[in-house]
Amino acid sequence: MAKNLKWEAEVSTTLQKATADQIWPLFQDFFGLHKWFPGLATCYGIHGSNGEPGCMRYCSGSGGLKREGNNNTNNNNDDGDSNLSWSKERLVAISGAQMTFTYEIVDCNIGFESYVSTVTVVPGGGRGCTVRWRISLDPVVGWKLEDLVCRYELGLQRMLKKMEASIFGF
């Protein structure tokens, strides 16, 4: 029997005003994703020091990624709400010089297995920057890769809009 291939995709968004040097510090706060990501109500550290490889965060919210009929029996979510999507994520690597970090999902109720993601902030040469978000995971039953990519594109756009608004006060 042939093994399913991994899903791999990359989304990106370009900002015209905020520079890489302004956006990167917001991503370095690994435990602070809830400040920026739409629908994510909670994000906090559960292991290690924020921004250090090996640290882990717990994230939950109403992001709409929860799989119906999820068979994950390890529901160690602290929120007590079975309607919330949640994940536990480990920072694998981070480079301030290259403005990139990689993380993996170690447990979740959204059906993601073997999930690894890399976010890179690319300077735009003066003003502006581009943020690239690359994902790799096993296919998710009941999902199409194209639909997941659309959610990531929209999520990244909304997140960067909030980040840029915080920098410029609009």
Side-chain angles (χ1 to χ4, degrees):
M1 178 181 252
K3 183 175 164 93
N4 289 335
L5 297 176
K6 284 229 177 258
W7 280 355
E8 295 189 359
E10 181 178 299
V11 298
S12 65
T13 297
T14 298
L15 297 172
Q16 299 302 317
K17 294 182 181 178
T19 66
D21 288 335
Q22 292 171 313
I23 291 294
W24 173 246
L26 305 178
F27 280 110
Q28 282 182 298
D29 179 12
F30 191 67
F31 297 162
L33 184 61
H34 64 292
K35 298 172 192 172
W36 315 115
F37 199 80
L40 191 64
T42 303
C43 180
Y44 56 85
I46 57 173
H47 175 76
S49 297
N50 190 8
E52 295 293 322
C55 72
M56 291 179 61
R57 66 186 176 194
Y58 170 84
C59 300
S60 68
S62 58
L65 287 176
K66 184 160 192 258
R67 234 178 60 193
E68 292 300 318
N70 183 358
N71 292 326
N72 185 341
T73 57
N74 188 13
N75 289 328
N76 294 331
N77 58 335
D78 298 327
D79 297 315
D81 185 344
S82 62
N83 292 319
L84 287 178
S85 301
W86 61 268
S87 62
K88 293 179 182 177
E89 304 171 356
R90 178 180 17 248
L91 183 62
V92 175
I94 188 166
S95 170
Q98 295 179 334
M99 294 188 203
T100 189
F101 70 95
T102 299
Y103 69 98
E104 64 185 350
I105 293 179
V106 296
D107 194 13
C108 69
N109 72 342
I110 54 179
F112 289 3
E113 294 183 15
S114 301
Y115 177 99
V116 178
S117 182
T118 300
V119 175
T120 304
V121 180
V122 181
R127 296 299 297 167
C129 65
T130 298
V131 177
R132 296 185 183 135
W133 191 356
R134 184 183 350 232
I135 60 170
S136 173
L137 69 157
D138 291 344
V140 181
V141 175
W143 281 83
K144 293 180 191 173
L145 177 58
E146 300 80 31
D147 295 337
L148 187 61
V149 169
C150 286
R151 287 179 181 261
Y152 271 73
E153 285 176 335
L154 186 58
L156 181 60
Q157 290 167 4
R158 289 180 176 170
M159 179 170 55
L160 291 176
K161 185 176 181 178
K162 281 181 83 171
M163 287 178 165
E164 199 168 51
S166 76
I167 293 167
F168 296 104
F170 55 83

